[in-house]
Amino acid sequence: MSDEGDAANDAASDGGASEDSSAGGGRTALVTKSVMRPQRPTGKRSRRRPVVADEDAEDQESSTEAEAGKEESAKKDAAKSANAKKQKKANKSAVRAANPVIFVYNYLKQVVAEMRKVIWPNRKQMLTYTSVVLVFLAFMVALVGGADVGLSKLVMLVFG
């Protein structure tokens, strides 16, 4: 017979956690109330409050109604911003089609801005990178060339 059931019964009769010094062999049993755990975050900006088991039903209903109102307003705002983005895209495409010179000018300006963000290697790094590439290239040429010569000799032996 195991003493695990006795320790669990002792803890349950306490109504909480208890430490048995001699009867349970020093084991600790923990009895927890069933509490609704908060949901994991979904990545949305508005998060739900964790629901406490002792909270009144009216408080829960009012908080869910408020959350529903927030969600509806968030959906409306998202729809408005989507419409605004579509209109902006339509306006941008019209500007691009209207004046290609401005399009090319903006493109070149963006290219220069991106090139300024690049971290350029110094001379020593450039020589190191170039030598690594050339050594690797020589190795691969030798490998493919050797495989070609070897397979051609094998074909000549088989089909003679």
Side-chain angles (χ1 to χ4, degrees):
M1 182 169 164
S2 78
D3 59 326
E4 291 177 8
D6 297 334
N9 289 335
D10 291 341
S13 66
D14 271 346
S18 70
E19 290 186 24
D20 295 335
S21 59
S22 62
R27 295 185 183 197
T28 303
L30 179 65
V31 178
T32 59
K33 291 191 264 182
S34 62
V35 177
M36 269 185 77
R37 295 183 182 213
Q39 294 180 348
R40 290 186 176 177
T42 59
K44 296 179 182 177
R45 289 182 184 259
S46 62
R47 294 186 180 170
R48 294 181 177 175
R49 285 186 348 184
V51 178
V52 180
D54 298 333
E55 197 172 2
D56 294 334
E58 293 176 10
D59 292 341
Q60 289 178 355
E61 289 175 6
S62 65
S63 65
T64 54
E65 289 172 3
E67 289 172 6
K70 288 179 184 178
E71 289 175 5
E72 288 176 12
S73 64
K75 288 179 184 177
K76 289 178 184 178
D77 291 341
K80 287 180 184 178
S81 64
N83 289 337
K85 286 179 184 178
K86 288 178 183 178
Q87 289 176 352
K88 285 181 181 179
K89 286 182 182 180
N91 292 340
K92 285 183 181 180
S93 63
V95 169
R96 287 182 188 163
N99 196 349
V101 175
I102 293 176
F103 175 75
V104 170
Y105 175 74
N106 285 336
Y107 175 76
L108 292 176
K109 193 165 68 170
Q110 290 173 358
V111 167
V112 169
E114 289 297 321
M115 294 298 275
R116 286 185 181 148
K117 294 178 187 177
V118 173
I119 299 172
W120 296 98
N122 58 23
R123 182 179 290 279
K124 184 179 177 182
Q125 290 172 333
M126 198 65 189
L127 290 173
T128 303
Y129 299 157
T130 303
S131 62
V132 166
V133 168
L134 291 176
V135 167
F136 180 74
L137 184 64
F139 172 75
M140 291 305 291
V141 166
L143 183 71
V144 171
D148 184 38
V149 169
L151 288 174
S152 65
K153 289 194 181 221
L154 182 66
V155 168
M156 293 304 282
L157 282 172
V158 171
F159 296 110

